[in-house]
Amino acid sequence: MRSTQLVAIIIALVVVAAIAYFLGTMSQPQQTTTQSTPTAAPGPRKITFYTWWAGLERFAIDAVIGNFTKKTGIQVEKTAVPGGAGVNAKFAILALMQAGSPPAAFQVHCGPEMLSYIYVAPKGEGSFVELSQVAKEIDMTVQASEVLSACSLNGKIYALPVNIHRANLIFINRQVLDKLGGSVPKTLDDLLSLCNKASSAGIPCLLQAGADQFTILHLWEQVFLAVAGPQKFIMFMYGTLPADDPSLRQATEIFLTLSKTFPTNWPALDWTGAVADLVAGKGLAHVDGDWVVGLIYNVYPQVKMCPHTSITPDCNIIVAPFPGTQGVYNLVIDSVAVPAGGPVTDLGIQFVKYFASPEGQSIFNPLKGSIAVYKNIDPSIYPTAIQRWEVEEYRNAKSYVLSLTHGALFSDVWQSLMQQSIVLVQTGRADLWYDALAKALATQRSLWKDTWYMGAPGKPFGGYQPPWVK
Ligand code: GAL
């Protein structure tokens, strides 16, 4: 089979999966049932793990799987549906879940994204293994209580965290910055004037990527965080922020100005292509999460990254908090969920238990560009200065919010905002975007169903208690 045919088949499968999912979410109410017990069945000790860590993002997950198999003899077949941020994988998994034939384990972000799976699953939350006990067994409850709060829904854990990524980062090509005679921007105004400088010199300022969509919404999100601050940001997640809050317009206007500095080929780039162009000096900067650190570490080993706090002479890429968001850690927490009641559920539990354990995370995070959730893991395990700096940043952060582009939106809301953010850049039609935001906030608000919240009783995530929690 030719590769073009293969690609066409994959695209067709993803489209069918997305349609099946949307038809289902429209017609299916949430159901709750009791947890079914996993049944052990004879047969090969083999499980399937669904993920989007494909291609240039495969190194960390492959290392974990290799070690797990060596240790346990359990084979893990990785089904990696390509597309950064899970743009395709999420809908493939949702459709399998809804059809009642889920994989043994799958990648998901902590946050309401997990609720999207619970809503389509035949038995609601009963379709997933509740993992609090496993978290205890691997010492996570003691060492990672804040992260567990972000991964708890009404006090229960349906997906175990394997890392902490940070979304509010800017990656700057040092040589291009020097050529412009600029310095690392600390405020949105600094960024706007630096981008002005770049544009006057004919250099694209922000290398964002439209082909896999997510870095466009990701940039809007960071501008919004800088303008609105953490409290309003969390209210966006709950849909309790009024749609006419001035921060939404202010952020959008700044975003539109910045979008004019994208390279002309932005719709054709995906995030890995944008990073390749950043490394090659085809533009000044890229706004993204620290999976970029993993990509550069694994794929461009000659490129030296440094935090903005210690720019060494040999530094090529400077990493800094997105201007105006210093002191905030915009969390992206990758986690693994295990569907309940299947023939290999117990093997799925063994996999997540290993992956999320200190050993699993010490293999995964150094290669992934993220940091482990355990406080007692020594920062010297990280190969890059960025990750060691991030350990400090995480410890000293004044507030923690959950990334809207990576976990804090229900999957339908997320997909529609991502598409609309592309339309916004292509057309400049802010009116359409404000409509999309109003719809997103209302849908987001209703999908919590006046029932769910993040965190545990009396300990809401981020200190914000949504109004429906008594
Ligand atoms: C995020 C995910 C990261 C990384 C990134 C790019 O959503 O949390 O682990 O995979 O997408 O694909």
Coordinates of all heavy atoms in Angstrom, one line a residue, residues 52-53 57 84-85 107 109 163 165 214 271 291 332 334 368 406, ligand 1:
W52 N -0.9 10.0 21.7 CA -0.5 10.8 20.6 C 1.0 11.1 20.5 O 1.5 11.9 19.8 CB -1.3 12.1 20.5 CG -1.2 13.1 21.6 CD1 -0.2 14.0 21.8 CD2 -2.1 13.3 22.7 NE1 -0.5 14.8 22.9 CE2 -1.6 14.3 23.5 CE3 -3.3 12.6 23.1 CZ2 -2.3 14.8 24.6 CZ3 -3.9 13.1 24.2 CH2 -3.4 14.1 25.0
W53 N 1.7 10.4 21.4 CA 3.2 10.6 21.4 C 3.8 9.7 20.3 O 4.3 8.6 20.5 CB 3.8 10.2 22.7 CG 3.4 11.1 23.8 CD1 3.3 12.5 23.7 CD2 3.0 10.8 25.2 NE1 2.9 13.0 24.9 CE2 2.7 12.0 25.8 CE3 2.8 9.6 25.9 CZ2 2.3 12.1 27.2 CZ3 2.4 9.7 27.2 CH2 2.2 10.9 27.8
E57 N 8.0 12.7 18.9 CA 7.6 12.8 20.3 C 7.7 11.4 21.0 O 7.2 11.3 22.1 CB 6.2 13.3 20.5 CG 6.2 14.8 20.8 CD 4.9 15.1 21.6 OE1 3.8 14.9 21.1 OE2 5.0 15.6 22.7
G84 N -0.2 16.7 17.4 CA 0.2 17.3 18.7 C -1.1 17.7 19.5 O -2.1 18.0 18.9
A85 N -0.9 17.6 20.8 CA -2.0 17.9 21.8 C -3.2 16.9 21.7 O -4.2 17.2 22.2 CB -2.4 19.3 21.6
Q107 N -3.8 7.7 27.1 CA -3.3 9.0 27.5 C -4.5 10.0 27.6 O -5.3 10.1 26.7 CB -2.3 9.5 26.5 CG -1.7 10.9 26.7 CD -0.9 11.4 25.6 OE1 -0.6 10.6 24.6 NE2 -0.4 12.6 25.7
H109 N -5.4 14.2 29.6 CA -4.9 15.2 30.5 C -5.8 15.2 31.7 O -7.0 15.0 31.7 CB -5.1 16.6 29.9 CG -4.1 16.9 28.7 ND1 -4.6 17.1 27.5 CD2 -2.8 16.9 28.7 CE1 -3.5 17.3 26.7 NE2 -2.4 17.2 27.4
N163 N 3.5 13.2 34.8 CA 4.4 14.3 34.6 C 3.8 15.7 34.9 O 2.6 15.8 35.2 CB 5.0 14.4 33.2 CG 4.0 14.8 32.1 OD1 2.8 15.0 32.4 ND2 4.4 14.9 30.9
H165 N 3.9 19.3 32.8 CA 4.4 20.1 31.8 C 4.0 21.6 32.1 O 3.1 21.8 32.9 CB 3.8 19.8 30.4 CG 4.6 18.8 29.6 ND1 5.9 19.0 29.3 CD2 4.2 17.6 29.0 CE1 6.3 18.0 28.5 NE2 5.3 17.2 28.3
F214 N -3.2 23.5 17.5 CA -3.2 23.8 18.9 C -2.4 25.0 19.4 O -2.7 25.7 20.3 CB -3.0 22.6 19.8 CG -1.5 22.2 19.9 CD1 -0.8 22.7 21.0 CD2 -0.9 21.3 19.0 CE1 0.6 22.4 21.1 CE2 0.4 21.0 19.2 CZ 1.2 21.5 20.2
W271 N 3.6 21.9 15.1 CA 4.5 22.5 16.1 C 5.9 22.0 16.0 O 6.8 22.8 16.2 CB 3.9 22.2 17.5 CG 4.1 20.7 18.0 CD1 3.2 19.7 17.7 CD2 5.1 20.2 18.8 NE1 3.7 18.6 18.4 CE2 4.9 18.9 19.0 CE3 6.2 20.8 19.4 CZ2 5.7 18.0 19.8 CZ3 7.1 20.0 20.2 CH2 6.8 18.6 20.4
W291 N 7.2 20.6 26.1 CA 7.4 19.4 25.2 C 8.4 19.8 24.1 O 9.1 19.0 23.6 CB 6.2 18.9 24.6 CG 5.1 19.9 24.2 CD1 5.0 20.5 23.0 CD2 4.1 20.4 25.1 NE1 4.0 21.4 23.1 CE2 3.4 21.3 24.3 CE3 3.7 20.2 26.4 CZ2 2.3 22.1 24.8 CZ3 2.6 20.9 26.9 CH2 1.9 21.8 26.1
V332 N 0.1 21.5 32.6 CA -0.4 20.5 31.6 C 0.0 19.2 32.2 O 1.2 18.9 32.3 CB 0.3 20.7 30.2 CG1 -0.3 19.6 29.2 CG2 0.1 22.1 29.7
D334 N -0.1 15.3 31.9 CA -0.4 14.1 31.2 C -0.7 13.0 32.2 O 0.0 12.8 33.2 CB 0.8 13.6 30.4 CG 1.1 14.6 29.2 OD1 0.1 14.9 28.5 OD2 2.2 15.1 29.0
K368 N 11.2 13.7 28.3 CA 9.9 14.3 27.8 C 10.0 15.8 27.8 O 9.2 16.5 27.2 CB 8.8 13.8 28.7 CG 7.4 14.2 28.2 CD 7.0 13.5 26.9 CE 5.6 13.9 26.5 NZ 5.4 15.2 26.0
H406 N -4.9 22.3 27.0 CA -4.4 20.9 27.3 C -5.1 20.4 28.6 O -4.5 20.3 29.6 CB -2.9 21.0 27.5 CG -2.2 21.6 26.3 ND1 -1.8 20.9 25.2 CD2 -1.8 22.9 26.1 CE1 -1.2 21.7 24.4 NE2 -1.2 22.9 24.9
Ligands
GAL1 C1 0.3 18.1 25.0 C2 0.7 17.0 25.8 C3 2.2 16.9 25.8 C4 2.7 16.9 24.4 C5 2.1 18.1 23.5 C6 2.4 18.1 22.1 O1 -1.1 18.2 25.0 O2 0.3 17.2 27.2 O3 2.7 15.8 26.5 O4 2.4 15.7 23.8 O5 0.7 18.0 23.7 O6 1.9 17.0 21.4

